[in-house]
CSV table of all heavy atoms in Angstrom, one decimal:
chain,number,residue,atom,x,y,z
D,33,TYR,N,15.8,1.5,26.6
D,33,TYR,CA,16.8,2.5,26.6
D,33,TYR,C,16.6,3.4,27.9
D,33,TYR,O,15.5,3.5,28.4
D,33,TYR,CB,16.7,3.5,25.4
D,33,TYR,CG,16.8,2.8,24.1
D,33,TYR,CD1,15.7,2.1,23.6
D,33,TYR,CD2,18.0,2.8,23.4
D,33,TYR,CE1,15.8,1.5,22.3
D,33,TYR,CE2,18.1,2.2,22.2
D,33,TYR,CZ,17.0,1.5,21.6
D,33,TYR,OH,17.1,0.9,20.4
D,35,TYR,N,17.6,7.4,28.7
D,35,TYR,CA,18.1,8.7,28.2
D,35,TYR,C,18.1,9.7,29.4
D,35,TYR,O,17.3,9.6,30.3
D,35,TYR,CB,17.2,9.2,27.1
D,35,TYR,CG,17.4,8.7,25.7
D,35,TYR,CD1,16.9,7.4,25.3
D,35,TYR,CD2,18.1,9.4,24.8
D,35,TYR,CE1,17.2,6.9,24.1
D,35,TYR,CE2,18.4,8.9,23.5
D,35,TYR,CZ,17.9,7.7,23.2
D,35,TYR,OH,18.1,7.2,21.9
D,37,GLN,N,18.1,13.9,30.3
D,37,GLN,CA,17.8,15.2,29.8
D,37,GLN,C,18.1,16.2,30.9
D,37,GLN,O,17.5,16.3,31.9
D,37,GLN,CB,16.4,15.4,29.3
D,37,GLN,CG,16.1,16.7,28.7
D,37,GLN,CD,14.7,16.8,28.1
D,37,GLN,OE1,13.7,16.3,28.8
D,37,GLN,NE2,14.5,17.4,27.0
D,40,GLY,N,17.0,22.5,29.5
D,40,GLY,CA,17.3,23.2,28.3
D,40,GLY,C,18.0,22.5,27.2
D,40,GLY,O,18.4,23.0,26.2
D,42,GLY,N,18.6,18.7,24.8
D,42,GLY,CA,18.0,17.5,24.2
D,42,GLY,C,18.3,16.3,25.0
D,42,GLY,O,18.9,16.3,26.1
D,43,LEU,N,17.8,15.1,24.6
D,43,LEU,CA,18.0,13.9,25.3
D,43,LEU,C,19.3,13.2,24.9
D,43,LEU,O,19.7,13.3,23.7
D,43,LEU,CB,16.8,12.9,25.0
D,43,LEU,CG,15.6,13.1,25.8
D,43,LEU,CD1,14.8,14.4,25.3
D,43,LEU,CD2,14.7,11.9,25.7
D,45,LEU,N,21.5,9.7,25.1
D,45,LEU,CA,21.5,8.2,25.4
D,45,LEU,C,22.5,7.9,26.5
D,45,LEU,O,23.7,8.2,26.4
D,45,LEU,CB,21.8,7.4,24.2
D,45,LEU,CG,21.8,5.9,24.4
D,45,LEU,CD1,20.4,5.4,24.8
D,45,LEU,CD2,22.3,5.2,23.1
D,88,PHE,N,14.7,9.3,31.2
D,88,PHE,CA,13.6,8.7,30.5
D,88,PHE,C,13.9,7.3,30.1
D,88,PHE,O,15.0,7.0,29.6
D,88,PHE,CB,13.3,9.5,29.2
D,88,PHE,CG,12.8,10.9,29.4
D,88,PHE,CD1,13.6,12.0,29.5
D,88,PHE,CD2,11.4,11.1,29.5
D,88,PHE,CE1,13.1,13.3,29.6
D,88,PHE,CE2,10.9,12.4,29.7
D,88,PHE,CZ,11.7,13.5,29.7
D,96,ARG,N,10.0,-1.3,14.2
D,96,ARG,CA,9.8,0.1,14.3
D,96,ARG,C,11.1,0.7,14.9
D,96,ARG,O,11.6,0.2,16.0
D,96,ARG,CB,8.7,0.5,15.2
D,96,ARG,CG,7.3,0.4,14.6
D,96,ARG,CD,6.3,1.0,15.5
D,96,ARG,NE,6.5,2.5,15.6
D,96,ARG,CZ,6.0,3.2,16.6
D,96,ARG,NH1,5.3,2.7,17.5
D,96,ARG,NH2,6.3,4.5,16.6
D,97,ARG,N,11.7,1.7,14.3
D,97,ARG,CA,12.9,2.3,14.9
D,97,ARG,C,12.5,3.4,15.9
D,97,ARG,O,13.3,3.7,16.8
D,97,ARG,CB,13.8,2.8,13.8
D,97,ARG,CG,15.2,3.1,14.3
D,97,ARG,CD,16.2,3.2,13.2
D,97,ARG,NE,16.3,2.0,12.5
D,97,ARG,CZ,16.8,1.9,11.2
D,97,ARG,NH1,17.1,3.0,10.6
D,97,ARG,NH2,17.0,0.7,10.7
D,98,ALA,N,11.4,4.0,15.7
D,98,ALA,CA,11.0,5.1,16.6
D,98,ALA,C,10.8,4.6,18.0
D,98,ALA,O,10.3,3.5,18.2
D,98,ALA,CB,9.7,5.8,16.1
D,99,LEU,N,11.2,5.4,19.0
D,99,LEU,CA,11.1,5.0,20.4
D,99,LEU,C,9.8,5.6,21.0
D,99,LEU,O,9.4,6.7,20.7
D,99,LEU,CB,12.3,5.6,21.2
D,99,LEU,CG,13.7,5.1,20.7
D,99,LEU,CD1,14.7,5.6,21.6
D,99,LEU,CD2,13.8,3.6,20.5
D,102,GLY,N,8.7,7.1,28.3
D,102,GLY,CA,8.0,7.3,29.5
D,102,GLY,C,7.9,8.8,29.8
D,102,GLY,O,8.5,9.6,29.0
S,9,ARG,N,15.8,28.3,18.4
S,9,ARG,CA,15.7,27.7,19.7
S,9,ARG,C,14.5,28.1,20.5
S,9,ARG,O,13.9,27.3,21.2
S,9,ARG,CB,16.9,28.1,20.6
S,9,ARG,CG,18.3,27.5,20.2
S,9,ARG,CD,18.3,26.0,20.4
S,9,ARG,NE,17.8,25.5,21.7
S,9,ARG,CZ,18.5,25.5,22.8
S,9,ARG,NH1,19.8,26.0,22.9
S,9,ARG,NH2,18.0,25.1,24.0
S,31,THR,N,17.6,8.2,9.0
S,31,THR,CA,16.3,8.3,9.6
S,31,THR,C,16.2,9.6,10.5
S,31,THR,O,17.1,9.9,11.2
S,31,THR,CB,16.0,7.1,10.5
S,31,THR,OG1,16.2,5.9,9.8
S,31,THR,CG2,14.6,7.0,11.0
S,33,TYR,N,13.5,12.1,12.9
S,33,TYR,CA,12.3,12.0,13.7
S,33,TYR,C,12.0,13.5,14.2
S,33,TYR,O,12.9,14.2,14.5
S,33,TYR,CB,12.4,11.2,14.9
S,33,TYR,CG,13.1,9.8,14.7
S,33,TYR,CD1,14.5,9.7,14.6
S,33,TYR,CD2,12.3,8.7,14.7
S,33,TYR,CE1,15.0,8.5,14.4
S,33,TYR,CE2,12.9,7.4,14.5
S,33,TYR,CZ,14.3,7.3,14.4
S,33,TYR,OH,14.9,6.1,14.2
S,35,TYR,N,9.8,14.9,17.4
S,35,TYR,CA,9.0,14.6,18.6
S,35,TYR,C,8.5,15.9,19.2
S,35,TYR,O,9.1,16.9,19.1
S,35,TYR,CB,9.9,13.9,19.7
S,35,TYR,CG,10.2,12.4,19.5
S,35,TYR,CD1,11.2,12.0,18.6
S,35,TYR,CD2,9.4,11.5,20.1
S,35,TYR,CE1,11.4,10.6,18.5
S,35,TYR,CE2,9.7,10.1,20.0
S,35,TYR,CZ,10.7,9.7,19.2
S,35,TYR,OH,10.9,8.4,19.0
S,37,GLN,N,7.5,17.5,22.9
S,37,GLN,CA,7.6,17.3,24.3
S,37,GLN,C,6.9,18.4,25.0
S,37,GLN,O,7.4,19.5,25.1
S,37,GLN,CB,9.1,17.2,24.7
S,37,GLN,CG,9.2,16.8,26.2
S,37,GLN,CD,10.6,16.7,26.7
S,37,GLN,OE1,11.6,17.2,26.0
S,37,GLN,NE2,10.9,16.0,27.8
S,42,GLY,N,7.0,13.0,28.6
S,42,GLY,CA,8.0,12.5,27.7
S,42,GLY,C,7.8,12.9,26.3
S,42,GLY,O,6.7,13.3,25.9
S,48,GLN,N,8.2,10.2,11.4
S,48,GLN,CA,9.5,9.6,11.2
S,48,GLN,C,9.7,9.5,9.7
S,48,GLN,O,8.8,9.0,9.0
S,48,GLN,CB,9.5,8.2,11.8
S,48,GLN,CG,10.7,7.4,11.6
S,48,GLN,CD,10.6,5.9,12.1
S,48,GLN,OE1,9.7,5.6,12.8
S,48,GLN,NE2,11.6,5.1,11.8
S,56,ASP,N,6.2,6.9,9.5
S,56,ASP,CA,5.2,6.9,10.4
S,56,ASP,C,4.7,8.3,10.7
S,56,ASP,O,5.6,9.1,11.2
S,56,ASP,CB,5.6,6.2,11.7
S,56,ASP,CG,4.5,6.0,12.8
S,56,ASP,OD1,3.4,6.6,12.6
S,56,ASP,OD2,4.8,5.4,13.8
S,98,ASN,N,20.7,-0.1,13.6
S,98,ASN,CA,19.5,-0.9,13.9
S,98,ASN,C,19.2,-0.9,15.4
S,98,ASN,O,18.2,-1.5,15.8
S,98,ASN,CB,19.7,-2.3,13.3
S,98,ASN,CG,19.6,-2.3,11.8
S,98,ASN,OD1,18.9,-1.5,11.2
S,98,ASN,ND2,20.4,-3.2,11.2
S,99,THR,N,20.1,-0.4,16.2
S,99,THR,CA,19.9,-0.4,17.6
S,99,THR,C,18.8,0.6,18.1
S,99,THR,O,18.4,0.6,19.2
S,99,THR,CB,21.2,-0.1,18.4
S,99,THR,OG1,21.7,1.1,18.1
S,99,THR,CG2,22.2,-1.2,18.2
S,100,GLY,N,18.5,1.5,17.2
S,100,GLY,CA,17.5,2.5,17.5
S,100,GLY,C,18.1,3.6,18.4
S,100,GLY,O,17.3,4.4,19.0
S,101,GLU,N,19.4,3.7,18.4
S,101,GLU,CA,20.0,4.9,19.2
S,101,GLU,C,19.7,6.1,18.4
S,101,GLU,O,20.0,6.3,17.3
S,101,GLU,CB,21.5,4.7,19.3
S,101,GLU,CG,22.1,5.9,20.1
S,101,GLU,CD,23.6,5.7,20.3
S,101,GLU,OE1,24.1,4.7,19.9
S,101,GLU,OE2,24.2,6.7,20.8
S,102,LEU,N,18.9,7.0,19.1
S,102,LEU,CA,18.6,8.3,18.5
S,102,LEU,C,19.5,9.4,19.1
S,102,LEU,O,19.8,9.4,20.3
S,102,LEU,CB,17.1,8.6,18.9
S,102,LEU,CG,16.0,8.2,17.9
S,102,LEU,CD1,16.0,6.6,17.8
S,102,LEU,CD2,14.7,8.6,18.4
S,105,GLY,N,18.6,16.8,18.9
S,105,GLY,CA,19.0,18.2,18.9
S,105,GLY,C,18.6,18.8,20.2
S,105,GLY,O,17.9,18.1,21.1
Side-chain angles (χ1 to χ4, degrees):
Chain D
Y33 303 81
Y35 279 79
Q37 186 177 37
L43 280 72
L45 178 67
F88 290 94
R96 286 190 61 198
R97 194 166 294 161
L99 303 186
Chain S
R9 287 294 314 276
T31 310
Y33 315 78
Y35 279 85
Q37 186 178 19
Q48 176 185 351
D56 184 354
N98 292 324
T99 58
E101 179 178 356
L102 272 58

